[in-house]
Amino acid sequence: MPARRQPPTVRRRRLAAELLGLRTAAGLTREQVAETTGLSTGALFRIEKALTRPQKRTLILLLDLYKVTDSPKRNELFDLLRQSQQLSWLQLFEDNLPQSYQTFISFEAEASRLSDYEGDMMPGLLQTEAYARAVIQGLMPEEAEEDVERRVEVRKRRQQVLTQAKSLSLWTIVDEAVIRRQVGGPAVMREQLQHLIAAARSPAVTVQVIPFSAGAHVGMPGSFIVMEFPDPDPPLIYTENAGGGLFLEADADVQRYRAGFQRLAAQALSPKDTLELIKQAAEVA
């Protein structure tokens, strides 16, 4: 059986970009590098696209070829290689999760800020265990119980990013349908709404709701997340549908989704008014 491809991380993405830039600056094609080093063009392509993590000896070979003799620069790239490993806990679940979801989790764990619009369900980072279980069962009605529980566990582990010493900043906007739909029944929904209220009071979390009265809005085609990272790593857009997850990193796409999120924020209720609406929804759930 072939080895399962590990999801890229932010640091592997940066290492890939650095190596592509160094090859370009050296004026070499992939074919020329392959001819000189013995690497296949396919292997080099996968390294430069962050699809695979190079071995240390391969990195040394490439840096020597690109005449990177500056010790601080070489050490920086070796550090990136060392830090580009997959999340240790994620390896326990890789057989149960789609590749795009694993990649998303890896990026999420290294993000400094998430701007998350959800039109159908609560953001994963703010779901209670019971709500998460009900969502997964609803989305995957034929999934075995043990596999559902493994996915619930993954969701719980993801939420650790909100309680770590260097927790990320989360700004989430949800459609009013998200707080009205009774996922899991009244008791589960009340607990979820109360949890959302508590989360919204955290200084690291901002919650807004787009009320039905706002009418049509730019989020109607589907949910998306703007993922931002500490400098110098560029932002990413993550979108998801029934066919799986998709990452967008072109500047035009990032700017379009950022602008769309700001439009949604302008149409949404203020955080204060959002809390009042969620409280009302919890009372009647």
Side-chain angles (χ1 to χ4, degrees), residues 111-115 162 167-171 203-206:
S112 58
R113 180 182 177 87
L114 299 178
S115 300
L162 293 175
S167 62
L168 60 75
S169 172
L170 173 63
W171 183 1
V205 178
T206 300

Side-chain angles (χ1 to χ4, degrees), residues 124 128-129 151-160:
T128 64
E129 182 176 335
R151 283 180 174 264
V152 171
E153 179 62 26
V154 168
R155 200 146 303 186
K156 288 164 59 181
R157 295 204 184 204
R158 281 176 52 202
Q159 294 172 356
Q160 293 173 0

Side-chain angles (χ1 to χ4, degrees), residues 80-267:
L80 283 177
L81 178 64
R82 214 165 25 247
Q83 297 165 5
S84 65
Q85 292 277 23
Q86 179 185 10
L87 282 171
S88 57
W89 68 260
L90 187 55
Q91 297 176 33
L92 302 173
F93 301 93
E94 61 183 8
D95 290 336
N96 300 83
L97 303 176
Q99 191 72 28
S100 60
Y101 188 36
Q102 292 184 55
T103 299
F104 168 75
I105 293 172
S106 295
F107 286 148
E108 180 183 67
E110 298 182 68
S112 58
R113 180 182 177 87
L114 299 178
S115 300
D116 183 358
Y117 166 71
E118 299 290 341
D120 301 307
M121 69 185 78
M122 295 287 173
L125 292 180
L126 300 180
Q127 292 179 10
T128 64
E129 182 176 335
Y131 182 96
R133 183 175 293 107
V135 164
I136 294 166
Q137 289 171 335
L139 291 174
M140 304 175 179
E142 298 180 2
E143 197 84 348
E145 183 178 347
E146 63 182 36
D147 291 331
V148 170
E149 292 306 315
R150 287 175 69 81
R151 283 180 174 264
V152 171
E153 179 62 26
V154 168
R155 200 146 303 186
K156 288 164 59 181
R157 295 204 184 204
R158 281 176 52 202
Q159 294 172 356
Q160 293 173 0
V161 297
L162 293 175
T163 56
Q164 292 170 348
K166 289 187 176 181
S167 62
L168 60 75
S169 172
L170 173 63
W171 183 1
T172 186
I173 301 174
V174 300
D175 193 276
E176 185 173 349
V178 173
I179 67 169
R180 299 295 184 187
R181 179 175 293 110
Q182 280 204 357
V183 173
V188 169
M189 200 62 201
R190 274 194 301 272
E191 179 191 38
Q192 174 62 67
L193 292 173
Q194 289 162 358
H195 179 72
L196 187 61
I197 291 168
R201 290 178 173 145
S202 165
V205 178
T206 300
V207 178
Q208 289 183 268
V209 169
I210 299 182
F212 292 141
S213 60
H217 57 76
V218 298
M220 292 173 72
S223 302
F224 65 89
I225 302 177
V226 181
M227 312 182 79
E228 298 181 71
F229 308 93
D231 289 338
D233 298 304
L236 276 174
I237 306 300
Y238 179 73
T239 66
E240 192 173 40
N241 55 38
L246 176 66
F247 291 95
L248 305 171
E249 54 185 325
D251 288 342
D253 290 323
V254 171
Q255 294 307 316
R256 178 162 55 90
Y257 277 93
R258 273 179 166 167
F261 193 85
Q262 291 300 322
R263 291 192 187 97
L264 290 169
Q267 285 183 275

